[in-house]
Amino acid sequence: MPYSHLTFDVADRIATITVNRPDKLNALNDSLMSELGDAITEARGRGDVGGVLLTGAGRAFVAGADIAELAGQNAVEGKARAERGQRTFRLFETSPKPTIAAVNGFALGGGCELAMACHIRIASDKAQFGQPEVKLGIVPGYGGSQRLPRLVGKGRALELLLTGDMIDAAEALRIGLVNRVVTADALIETTRAMLTTMLAQGPLAVAQCIEAVDRGLDMGLDDAIALEASYFGMLSATQDKAEGMIAFLEKRPAKFTGS
Ligand code: COA
């Protein structure tokens, strides 16, 4: 599919989606948001893609929603825009294929929210994070007020949400907002290496781990572990389970087929 505001490349079963509007620090206008939805849908649907690396061109990952567009919105348009963005980001979060944000620079507002909707965040040591919406008189609209406390805890989330302050990559690592911090030069290579490790595992098992965590976190523990037991049982009926266990016993790498 042709894209105007992002690039989409597939190599070694990894789809790299690069948000590409660097003159505006990759700010998410409506057409870019729509393309992001198309891109993750394409990645989820393609048989030659097993995982997604999301990054930004230039000095930003994404510096937020496009403030020029937000400036003109009324209440009804604002709610609709938030709902569209939330649906798009949820496609990253519920992808059965792992999604990793390689955060190369500013991840502010919608950019921080987009990174949080990915399964994992790896940051360059040049990355900066924040939810500066209060400075504009609004709240986050793409899930930030909900995913941030789930990731870093209520007190730390409220500190970021109420001050609008930016934090650097080291602080983001300290509070658990990102999984790893690496040098800018190593960012893409490190992210691809992590995805490659995931791609070597049973794809059905990977998908069910993602779903168990996504669904289970919003359940009580009894319901959540019941869900886990059903996935555990269901995967026992797969070829991948048979292959994984035979390969272990035969002391060879497993060849998973996703069946
Ligand atoms: N929406 C629209 N345009 C944006 C943008 C956004 N969220 N973030 C950056 N831009 C644009 C700037 O307007 C500028 O455009 P111009 O060259 O046509 O004037 C360009 O990107 C470069 O940004 P600039 O502010 O000049 O860079 P900087 O290095 O001085 O500052 C930031 C970088 C990230 C600190 C600053 O751009 C910023 O605060 N951006 C807004 C962040 C934000 O509030 N996001 C949440 C939105 S809900």
Side-chain angles (χ1 to χ4, degrees):
M1 184 181 289
Y3 297 100
S4 325
H5 301 307
L6 57 84
T7 61
F8 186 103
D9 302 294
V10 178
D12 301 324
R13 307 199 63 238
I14 297 170
T16 298
I17 300 171
T18 306
V19 183
N20 189 24
R21 202 186 168 216
D23 54 320
K24 297 291 182 189
L25 302 185
N26 301 325
L28 299 174
N29 60 15
D30 289 344
S31 53
L32 174 45
M33 183 65 90
S34 167
E35 288 193 359
L36 264 182
D38 292 342
I40 184 63
T41 301
E42 178 174 351
R44 288 175 61 147
R46 277 176 64 155
D48 62 343
V49 171
V52 175
L53 184 161
L54 176 66
T55 193
R59 64 193 177 99
F61 174 70
V62 166
D66 190 320
I67 297 168
E69 283 188 347
L70 300 190
Q73 74 190 14
N74 63 28
V76 173
E77 290 161 350
K79 182 162 182 279
R81 178 169 280 127
E83 288 169 349
R84 278 197 307 276
Q86 289 170 359
R87 276 195 300 275
T88 301
F89 286 13
R90 193 81 179 116
L91 292 172
F92 284 84
E93 191 166 45
T94 61
S95 165
K97 303 170 182 181
T99 57
I100 306 187
V103 183
N104 52 301
F106 293 114
L108 302 175
C112 191
E113 292 171 295
L114 178 58
M116 289 192 288
C118 292
H119 300 134
I120 287 165
R121 287 144 295 287
I122 300 182
S124 140
D125 54 9
K126 296 191 168 49
Q128 289 185 278
F129 298 81
Q131 295 289 163
E133 287 86 353
V134 283
K135 296 184 178 188
L136 302 167
I138 55 173
V139 297
Y142 300 149
S145 65
Q146 304 309 308
R147 292 193 182 97
L148 190 58
R150 282 167 169 76
L151 267 175
V152 306
K154 182 176 168 184
R156 285 168 175 155
L158 279 170
E159 183 177 337
L160 286 169
L161 290 165
L162 301 187
T163 62
D165 283 348
M166 278 194 253
I167 56 171
D168 63 15
E171 177 67 359
L173 181 67
R174 193 186 71 79
I175 67 174
L177 179 53
V178 301
N179 297 64
R180 290 193 197 174
V181 178
V182 297
T183 61
D185 287 349
L187 179 64
I188 299 301
E189 184 192 333
T190 305
T191 309
R192 290 187 69 86
M194 188 185 283
L195 277 166
T196 300
T197 300
M198 294 173 183
L199 292 181
Q201 317 309 321
L204 297 175
V206 165
Q208 298 267 260
C209 282
I210 291 169
E211 196 172 320
V213 171
D214 183 66
R215 293 183 59 190
L217 270 179
D218 291 323
M219 292 178 174
L221 186 65
D222 282 334
D223 288 338
I225 59 176
L227 182 73
E228 181 188 78
S230 72
Y231 291 169
F232 186 83
M234 193 275 280
L235 286 168
S236 296
T238 63
Q239 292 293 317
D240 281 356
K241 177 261 186 186
E243 164 64 10
M245 297 203 180
I246 290 166
F248 176 83
L249 296 173
E250 293 178 351
K251 302 188 188 304
R252 62 170 174 81
K255 290 193 190 113
F256 293 114
T257 56
S259 59

